[in-house]
Amino acid sequence: MTLTGPIDSELWMFIPGPVNVHPDVRRSLATPPINHRGREFSELYERVCAKVRRLLRTEGRVYLSTSSAIGIQEAVARNCVAKRSLHLVCGAFSQNWQEIAVACGKQADALSVEWGRANLPDALEEALAKTHYDTVCVVHSETSTSVQNPLSALAAVVRRFPGTLLCVDAVSSLGAAPVLVDDWGVDVCFASVQKGLALPPGFAVFSVSERALERAASVPNRGYYFDFLVFEEYAKKSQTPTTPSLPHMFALDVQLGRIETEGLENRWERHRTMATMAQRWAEERYECFAEAPHRSASVTAVRNTRGTDIAKLNAHLKSLGMVLAPGYGRIKSETFRIGHVGETTPVQLQRLLDAIDTFIG
């Protein structure tokens, strides 16, 4: 049995990321380099940024970073946190963001819930009413637990507290689920490109509001590589502050064009369809780790109630040209994860689920 689809690949990765890359995008990675301080690059930069704005549903400024999204998590701490930040923790990656802020010398508190549960608006409002936080940090789709936080409702709470910035990690939601920066009033929103955008890892995109840029101007010791003001200085020249990954720029130009051809709403619907398939299958065969209705459009964490040997399962799947992901962090031993993100189709996902069914009997 082999997987067939729009991408010619020996192994189809049903993992949260990195994901398979379309052949047209792979070819664009081999585009000859250009002068990143020249006119041709500025035209590429402007073209890509326009597409990123449409992707993020914002009319504001966007920047491009040759880094993983973890770099932008650190950038938020260095640029946005004047005194104290509140981190909504519901899994490994949201917890890591709080630890990064502490490592940057910031006072960063965690508003934590049990893994598998979502951060909810009432708890956030109570926390903000008790203590002044100048920044709230939220992971939209927590990849470790497959919880998708109700970002629109959380954003509405933050808007009721003037002077508090809302910063969002959309790493595993952007391109797979609605992320509406302007409508929701998000001050910083970022994602790396190896999940919903289906590019190789090593690059990130992010938006910065006027409020966040003004905040950065008042915060000392921002460093240089991730200083928002430096990004803005170079953006005015349609350039990046430091030497960019040109292959990623070329590929992002092509892939965002492909996403627009598919239609962003159609892409969201394809991911909703696959998420529903995976969640129904998990509930029938095992158990979903994330609570309903707060489940990710990109990944499904499955509670391994059958005690299936995931290493043996993956060996079986690899013989069929597929692979899924083990659990992550402190729930690694009790879960496994099915990624249904990027260029994956419902037909391909059904083949995976059928193959697992064959293995477990």
Side-chain angles (χ1 to χ4, degrees):
M1 172 182 165
T2 58
L3 283 174
T4 59
I7 298 175
D8 177 19
S9 174
E10 292 184 358
L11 185 69
W12 197 268
M13 297 187 290
F14 291 95
I15 64 177
V19 299
N20 296 78
V21 179
H22 193 277
D24 290 347
V25 179
R26 291 205 303 266
R27 284 189 288 269
S28 71
L29 291 162
T31 303
I34 58 177
N35 176 10
H36 68 281
R37 298 301 184 212
R39 179 177 177 180
E40 188 178 358
F41 175 83
S42 293
E43 292 172 352
L44 172 65
Y45 177 94
E46 291 170 2
R47 191 164 62 247
V48 170
C49 285
K51 293 175 182 177
V52 172
R53 287 188 187 92
R54 292 194 289 271
L55 177 71
L56 287 166
R57 295 297 175 91
T58 180
E59 298 295 325
R61 57 178 56 79
V62 297
Y63 302 130
L64 311 175
S65 177
T66 300
S67 71
S68 70
I70 297 295
I72 314 305
Q73 287 187 337
E74 180 164 320
V76 166
R78 291 186 174 277
N79 288 267
C80 296
V81 182
K83 293 184 178 179
R84 195 173 190 178
S85 58
L86 180 65
H87 295 254
L88 276 58
V89 174
C90 61
F93 294 99
S94 45
Q95 179 178 314
N96 188 58
W97 196 359
Q98 187 242 351
E99 292 168 352
I100 287 171
V102 172
C104 288
K106 305 295 183 175
Q107 185 171 355
D109 297 341
L111 180 60
S112 300
V113 294
E114 180 185 352
W115 284 29
R117 297 189 177 278
N119 297 107
L120 298 178
D122 288 349
L124 175 59
E125 184 154 25
E126 182 179 354
L128 293 179
K130 288 181 178 178
T131 304
H132 175 68
Y133 293 99
D134 51 60
T135 308
V136 170
C137 298
V138 183
V139 171
H140 187 195
S141 172
E142 173 55 70
T143 311
S144 65
T145 64
S146 76
V147 165
Q148 186 164 303
N149 279 312
L151 183 54
S152 175
L154 294 169
V157 171
V158 176
R159 288 197 301 271
R160 293 198 285 272
F161 293 84
T164 300
L165 301 181
L166 175 62
C167 301
V168 173
D169 172 330
V171 170
S172 64
S173 61
L174 186 63
V179 177
L180 312 179
V181 166
D182 286 358
D183 286 354
W184 294 344
V186 179
D187 291 290
V188 178
C189 185
F190 60 87
S192 46
V193 298
Q194 76 275 10
K195 298 180 187 289
L197 304 190
L199 289 173
F203 207 77
V205 300
F206 63 110
S207 63
V208 174
S209 71
E210 187 66 31
R211 293 199 319 155
L213 197 65
E214 291 173 357
R215 171 70 60 76
S218 70
V219 177
N221 302 318
R222 297 184 302 275
Y224 181 84
Y225 196 88
F226 295 116
D227 184 346
F228 289 171
L229 272 64
V230 176
F231 272 96
E232 177 64 9
E233 175 188 348
Y234 279 84
K236 290 176 179 177
K237 299 181 286 187
S238 299
Q239 295 179 1
T240 55
T242 56
T243 305
S245 171
L246 289 170
H248 277 98
M249 294 280 291
F250 295 132
L252 196 57
D253 190 25
V254 171
Q255 177 64 351
L256 291 180
R258 292 188 67 258
I259 289 172
E260 292 187 344
T261 297
E262 179 181 7
L264 192 52
E265 289 82 0
N266 293 333
R267 195 174 183 87
W268 294 339
E269 181 58 33
R270 174 165 59 84
H271 282 81
R272 277 195 295 269
T273 296
M274 293 189 293
T276 298
M277 289 171 59
Q279 291 160 14
R280 285 177 177 170
W281 176 89
E283 287 293 283
E284 291 173 0
R285 309 299 195 278
Y286 293 89
E287 183 180 317
C288 283
F289 186 80
E291 64 175 344
H294 305 293
R295 292 173 178 166
S296 173
S298 304
V299 56
T300 296
V302 182
R303 196 184 297 275
N304 191 1
T305 54
R306 290 172 174 259
T308 301
D309 187 320
I310 302 305
K312 289 182 179 179
L313 171 59
N314 253 338
H316 167 71
L317 294 174
K318 285 182 179 179
S319 72
L320 303 174
M322 298 175 274
V323 64
L324 51 71
Y328 190 91
R330 71 185 193 211
I331 58 171
K332 180 176 182 177
S333 63
E334 62 181 285
T335 60
F336 62 92
R337 294 174 298 159
I338 299 172
H340 33 78
V341 64
E343 300 305 305
T344 298
T345 67
V347 170
Q348 290 171 320
L349 177 60
Q350 188 59 57
R351 288 173 180 159
L352 172 79
L353 301 179
D354 290 344
I356 302 174
D357 282 342
T358 298
F359 181 82
I360 64 178

